[in-house]
Amino acid sequence: MTDVPPHSDESRPVRTTWFPAAVGLALALTVVAYANHFDNAFHFDDSHVIEDNIHIRSLARAHTFFADPGTFSTLSTHHLYRPVLTLSYAVDYQLGGGLNPTSFHVTQFILHLLVGVGLFLVFRRVMDTASPNPLNRYAALFSALLFCLHTGNSETVNYLSSRSDVVSTLGIIGAFVSYLYLPSRRPQHLYLIPMLLGALAKPTAVMFAPLLMVYLLLFEENTSIGDALRRSGRPAVSRVLRRSLPALVTGLLAFWFVDTMAGDGLEYGGGGRLEYLRTQMWVWLHYVRLFVVPVGLTADTDWTLIGTWWDTRVVSGIAAIGVLGWAIVRSSKKPEWRPATFGLSWFVLGNLPASSIFPLAEVANDHRLYLPFAGLALAGGWALFRLALQKSGAKDQGLAWPWTIAALIVLAAHTAGTASRNTVWRSEETLWADVVQKSPGNGRAWMNYGLTQMRLARYEVAREHFQHAIEIRPNYAQAQINMGIVTHALGDTVAADPYFTRAIELAPEYGQGKYFYGRYLVQSGRGPEALPLLLESIAESPAYVPARHMLLGLYYVLGHEEELSALANQTLELAAEDSVASGYASGVPAIDGSENTPYLRGVTLTNRGRHLNAGVAYKSHLQSHGEDASTYNNLGWSMAMMGFYGSAVTAFERAIELDPDFDRARANLRWVQELQRE
C-alpha cells in the first residue's frame, strides 16, 4: 500500500514486484498463525460426529451419507443432513489411518486457505467495480488476510465439527467466484453448483441468493439502498429480482430439501422465538465488538435468554443495529464506498440464520462468526484503504508507509492472538479450563472440565465439577451419567446407580446413556441386566461404536454365536474396516496388551479389574491354544465378576473335569453357586 497516488484514484504504474512478495507474506503469516494447531485434540461435538461415529470409518458405503442423516452423528437428536461434511471426515479418517486429529486439522486448514483465496478474488472484483485502482489488489489482499488471521475465527478452524461453517462459506464464495469470473456460463447457472455443495454441509450456504441480490443492486444496477427504496428505484429492483430468481428458487429448494432430509429426532433446542430475537439484539453488538477487539473468546458461553425489552443490553443492541443500518444506507450513496456497503450487508445477512427468530440451544457461539466476519473484513479493509488514499492524496505519497505499517501491526496482532488461542484448544483440559473461567455459569463447561479430571483419575475433583454442573442444570442427563461413573470409580457402587437411572429418565432417547449404564452394570456384577440396555443403545444410536464393541465382547464370552455373527456382520456393513468387528467375525478378537499369549493378557486384565476384556482373552486362548484347567478357571472368575453365574459354573465345572485336583476351581464353584442361591 505504499505506492498511493497523490491526488486521485487514477494511479501511475505500480511496481509489480511488491504484490507477489505481499502474497508470499500473507501465506507465511497464515501458516505461522496456525502452525501450532495441527496436533490439537478432538473437542465437544467431535465425540459423536467423528470419534464414536462408525460410519466415517469406511468409504465403502459413502453413498449412504447422502441418503441417511443417521450417518452424521451417533446421537438421534443430532441427525442433521450434512453428507458433504460426513464424507470429508471419512476421507480424513482414511488419510490419517484412523482417528488422527492431524489429518482432520490439515483438511480444515486447507479449506480455510481456500476461503481466503476466494475472498481475495471476490473482494478484488467488487473493489475494482466500485473504484478502479491498481492498488485495490493490496486492499483485497489485506481484507482477505484479515479474515484468515482474525483471532475470532480461530475457533472455527480449531473446532472440527464447525467445518460446516467453513464449507458452507466456501460454497457461497465459490458461487460468487464462478458468477464474477465466468460470465459466459451464467445462462447455464453453473455458479449455483458451489452453493448447492455448500448447502449439503450446512444450509446457510443458501444465503448466497440474497447476497447476490445486494451485489446486483449495488454494482450491476449502480443503485444505492436509499434509491432502491424509492419509487424511482423500482425498475432496478425488478431487474435484480428477475436476475437473482434462479438463485432464490434454487436456494429455497435446497433449504427445503436439507430440512426435509434431517432425522425425525433432530432437536435444535432454544426457547421462544421472541425471547431469542430479543437476546440476539445484544449478541449482534457482541459480535461486532469481537471483530474490533477479539478478547474474551470462549468455546461455550453461559449466556441465557434476556427477559425484557428494556434491558440495557437489548437497548444497546438495538441502537447498534440502527447505526449499522444507517451506515449501510449512507455508504451506498457513493459508488466508491459500496464495497463497504456490500461488506456490512454481508455481515447482516450472514448473521440472520443463527441470530434472528430461529432459536438455537446456545444464544451465541464464536464459530457462528465465520461467515459474517467475511463481510466485516471487506467493509473494514475497504474503509481503511479509502481513508489511507484520502490522507495520502491530501499530503504526499510517502505518508502511505504509516498505513502499511499500521496494517502489518494489525495483522501481526491477529497472528499472535490466533496462535495463542490455538494453545487453548490444545486438549480437552486446556479448552474447558478456559471455558469455566470465562463462562462460570455454564453447566456443560463444568461437566466437560470434570471429564478431563476423571480421565486423569482425579475422581474427587471430577465429582465436585459434576456436582456443580448439576446444581446449575439439575436436569442435565450427561452430568447425571458422569456423576454415576465417578461415584462408581470412587467405590460407592450403590450410590452410583440412581444417577444412571435418573439420566435415562431425563433422556430416554439418549442411547449413549444406556451404554454407560450397561457398562456400569457389567463392572458391578450385574451383567445380565446390561444386555437389553446395550441392545437399546445400539437401536437408538446405531453409529455409536463403544456399545457395539461391548456387546460383541459379551456375546463372544457368553458363546452366543448367532448373535455375535449377526452383530459383527452388521457392524462391518457399516464400517468394513472396523478391526474389532472383523476380529470377532473371524473368531480372532483383538485383545489389549503386549503379553505373549492371550492367557497372560487375560491375567493382566483381571488384575486391573477389566473382567470383560479378560474374559475375551481367556476365551480366545482356549480357542487358539486348546483347553486347560487354569484358563477355564480364570474365565469362570471373569464371568462371575460380571454376574453371569450360569456361565461361570459351566467354566469352573469344565476346569474340574480337566483337573480333578484343582482345589481353587472347586472353591470358586462353591462360591458362585452360593451367589446363585442368594
Side-chain angles (χ1 to χ4, degrees):
M1 294 176 61
T2 58
D3 301 313
V4 179
H7 298 295
S8 73
D9 286 0
E10 296 299 323
S11 174
R12 56 177 178 260
V14 179
R15 185 184 300 178
T16 58
T17 57
W18 286 113
F19 189 69
V23 172
L25 177 62
L27 179 60
L29 285 174
T30 307
V31 171
V32 168
Y34 285 102
N36 63 336
H37 99 292
F38 291 104
D39 294 327
N40 285 359
F42 295 108
H43 295 290
F44 211 176
D45 287 346
D46 294 346
S47 62
H48 61 86
V49 172
I50 299 174
E51 292 179 276
D52 296 330
N53 188 355
I54 196 171
H55 295 290
I56 72 162
R57 300 190 177 191
S58 174
L59 287 170
R61 300 181 73 251
H63 61 282
T64 62
F65 302 162
F66 294 84
D68 181 7
T71 60
F72 176 70
S73 168
T74 64
L75 302 180
S76 60
T77 54
H78 289 67
H79 283 177
L80 297 161
Y81 184 69
R82 295 181 176 178
V84 167
L85 201 61
T86 307
L87 178 61
S88 74
Y89 294 143
V91 171
D92 289 343
Y93 187 91
Q94 296 301 314
L95 293 176
L99 291 172
N100 176 9
T102 300
S103 174
F104 291 82
H105 282 300
V106 167
T107 298
Q108 195 105 329
F109 179 69
I110 291 173
L111 291 170
H112 181 58
L113 281 180
L114 290 175
V115 170
V117 172
L119 285 177
F120 166 76
L121 295 173
V122 174
F123 292 173
R124 173 74 185 275
R125 181 56 59 90
V126 166
M127 293 172 179
D128 285 346
T129 302
S131 180
N133 188 319
L135 293 175
N136 284 348
R137 56 184 175 175
Y138 291 97
L141 182 63
F142 170 78
S143 298
L145 184 56
L146 176 61
F147 174 85
C148 286
L149 298 177
H150 200 287
T151 306
N153 284 332
S154 59
E155 173 170 324
T156 311
V157 181
N158 276 282
Y159 180 27
L160 293 167
S161 287
S162 67
R163 183 177 297 179
S164 56
D165 294 283
V166 182
V167 177
S168 61
T169 301
L170 187 58
I172 292 174
I173 295 165
F176 266 117
V177 171
S178 301
Y179 183 87
L180 296 175
Y181 288 88
L182 297 173
S184 63
R185 298 297 183 183
R186 291 179 190 174
Q188 292 81 33
H189 307 299
L190 297 181
Y191 58 89
L192 296 177
I193 294 176
M195 179 192 76
L196 291 173
L197 291 174
L200 294 179
K202 191 173 185 178
T204 50
V206 304
M207 296 306 292
F208 166 73
L211 284 169
L212 178 63
M213 293 178 64
V214 176
Y215 172 83
L216 293 174
L217 182 71
L218 294 175
F219 301 106
E220 295 196 3
E221 291 297 329
N222 195 27
T223 302
S224 70
I225 302 297
D227 289 340
L229 298 175
R230 299 188 182 96
R231 184 186 297 271
S232 60
R234 289 180 181 176
V237 173
S238 179
R239 289 191 295 270
V240 166
L241 288 172
R242 286 198 303 270
R243 288 154 65 186
S244 60
L245 188 61
L248 287 169
V249 172
T250 304
L252 287 172
L253 289 174
F255 182 84
W256 170 82
F257 174 74
V258 170
D259 185 64
T260 302
M261 288 295 293
D264 294 334
L266 179 64
E267 295 179 2
Y268 289 104
R273 293 183 185 275
L274 191 61
E275 292 83 359
Y276 189 79
L277 174 64
R278 180 168 55 224
T279 306
Q280 292 310 305
M281 302 296 101
W282 171 245
V283 172
W284 280 57
L285 178 57
H286 170 68
Y287 286 166
V288 173
R289 195 274 298 169
L290 284 180
F291 181 80
V292 180
V293 185
V295 296
L297 293 165
T298 176
D300 201 16
T301 72
D302 56 359
W303 289 16
T304 57
L305 296 174
I306 298 176
T308 62
W309 284 101
W310 51 87
D311 188 290
T312 54
R313 294 169 294 175
V314 178
V315 174
S316 300
I318 292 174
I321 292 173
V323 172
L324 180 61
W326 171 84
I328 290 173
V329 174
R330 182 64 182 269
S331 62
S332 71
K333 293 181 178 180
K334 296 183 178 181
E336 64 271 21
W337 278 96
R338 286 179 186 162
T341 309
F342 185 52
L344 294 176
S345 301
W346 186 312
F347 172 74
V348 171
L349 293 170
N351 254 338
L352 287 179
S355 297
S356 54
I357 61 172
F358 307 105
L360 301 175
E362 293 83 35
V363 299
N365 255 329
D366 288 353
H367 64 80
R368 296 176 190 167
L369 303 172
Y370 197 76
L371 175 59
F373 269 15
L376 289 183
L378 170 59
W382 184 249
L384 291 174
F385 178 64
R386 295 299 306 177
L387 183 60
L389 283 179
Q390 292 173 6
K391 294 295 183 180
S392 299
K395 297 182 180 179
D396 72 347
Q397 189 171 343
L399 290 179
W401 274 108
W403 294 98
T404 303
I405 294 172
L408 291 174
I409 290 174
V410 170
L411 296 175
H414 279 291
T415 301
T418 293
S420 177
R421 283 298 294 174
N422 293 342
T423 63
V424 171
W425 289 82
R426 175 66 60 196
S427 67
E428 283 281 87
E429 185 175 17
T430 57
L431 178 67
W432 293 109
D434 181 76
V435 176
V436 296
Q437 179 183 2
K438 296 175 179 176
S439 308
N442 187 325
R444 179 167 54 194
W446 284 102
M447 186 203 71
N448 284 327
Y449 188 48
L451 280 173
T452 68
Q453 302 307 295
M454 187 163 64
R455 293 188 188 107
L456 296 171
R458 300 169 183 165
Y459 298 128
E460 290 288 358
V461 176
R463 183 165 63 176
E464 291 177 7
H465 291 333
F466 295 149
Q467 185 60 49
H468 193 48
I470 291 173
E471 290 171 1
I472 296 173
R473 295 176 59 180
N475 296 327
Y476 190 13
Q478 287 88 340
Q480 297 283 346
I481 290 168
N482 288 312
M483 272 295 286
I485 294 171
V486 77
T487 301
H488 182 225
L490 286 167
D492 196 342
T493 300
V494 175
D497 192 278
Y499 289 112
F500 291 108
T501 55
R502 173 62 175 160
I504 293 174
E505 178 186 334
L506 290 171
E509 77 291 343
Y510 183 48
Q512 295 183 21
K514 294 177 181 178
Y515 158 74
F516 284 111
Y517 189 28
R519 189 183 71 174
Y520 155 79
L521 291 171
V522 169
Q523 294 170 344
S524 303
R526 296 162 59 188
E529 298 176 53
L531 292 173
L533 284 169
L534 292 171
L535 285 169
E536 289 181 35
S537 175
I538 292 173
E540 291 161 4
S541 300
Y544 189 55
V545 176
R548 289 181 173 274
H549 288 177
M550 172 166 270
L551 191 54
L552 283 169
L554 288 171
Y555 282 157
Y556 180 72
V557 297
L558 290 169
H560 295 178
E561 295 182 1
E562 290 186 9
E563 292 89 342
L564 176 66
S565 177
L567 181 58
N569 290 329
Q570 181 194 68
T571 302
L572 290 172
E573 286 178 6
L574 298 176
E577 299 177 8
D578 189 294
S579 60
V580 174
S582 179
Y584 283 116
S586 65
V588 186
I591 307 169
D592 295 339
S594 58
E595 290 81 359
N596 293 332
T597 66
Y599 175 82
L600 293 176
R601 291 178 220 168
V603 171
T604 300
L605 292 166
T606 296
N607 292 333
R608 294 176 181 173
R610 297 174 59 185
H611 300 296
L612 174 56
N613 301 83
V616 171
Y618 296 134
K619 187 74 175 284
S620 176
H621 186 88
L622 291 169
Q623 290 183 332
S624 61
H625 290 72
E627 294 184 315
D628 71 88
S630 293
T631 305
Y632 269 114
N633 177 70
N634 288 2
L635 175 60
W637 177 265
S638 296
M639 303 305 291
M641 294 303 293
M642 290 187 288
F644 296 106
Y645 300 138
S647 297
V649 167
T650 301
F652 290 136
E653 288 177 342
R654 183 56 182 158
I656 295 169
E657 288 177 12
L658 292 171
D659 183 359
D661 296 326
F662 200 166
D663 293 337
R664 181 178 297 178
R666 290 184 182 278
N668 287 336
L669 177 59
R670 289 193 297 271
W671 164 68
V672 79
Q673 287 173 336
E674 291 177 4
L675 291 176
Q676 281 183 306
R677 288 192 291 268
E678 291 180 358

